[in-house]
Amino acid sequence: MYDTDGYREIYSMDISPPCIDTMKNRNLERRPSLIWHVMDCTNLQYEDEFFDIVIDKSTVDCLVTGNNAYKKVAKMM
């Protein structure tokens, strides 16, 4: 999306600080306007309707493997 379609204001988040640090550093030169946040997807710190679209890359897969899985997925959505 960034490289081929011109989208520049892309937010990425993960619950893992090392993951965010690694990805931020990996993309700093080629994709400087990407926005990175350490955050729990079941407790987002954005206003309602902040995003136009959300693309999930495997988060639901991770959430459905534990206790109260469907509640966690519903909270994320």
Side-chain angles (χ1 to χ4, degrees):
M1 289 173 52
Y2 188 99
D3 295 336
T4 60
D5 297 321
Y7 292 95
R8 295 296 182 258
E9 192 173 339
I10 298 174
Y11 287 71
S12 297
M13 66 191 76
D14 196 278
I15 199 166
S16 167
C19 174
I20 291 296
D21 288 343
T22 298
M23 296 308 295
K24 187 177 196 176
N25 291 331
R26 189 179 292 176
N27 288 283
L28 193 57
E29 286 186 32
R30 288 187 56 208
R31 301 173 186 99
S33 63
L34 292 178
I35 302 157
W36 302 92
H37 291 140
V38 175
M39 198 173 301
D40 181 338
C41 67
T42 64
N43 186 26
L44 296 178
Q45 305 297 306
Y46 302 105
E47 298 175 23
D48 288 347
E49 301 182 22
F50 182 81
F51 296 107
D52 295 323
I53 187 170
V54 174
I55 299 171
D56 168 46
K57 184 183 170 274
S58 304
T59 305
V60 172
D61 295 343
C62 293
L63 290 175
V64 297
T65 61
N67 295 333
N68 299 313
Y70 295 104
K71 288 181 183 178
K72 289 179 185 176
V73 172
K75 192 172 183 180
M76 181 188 90
M77 295 298 179

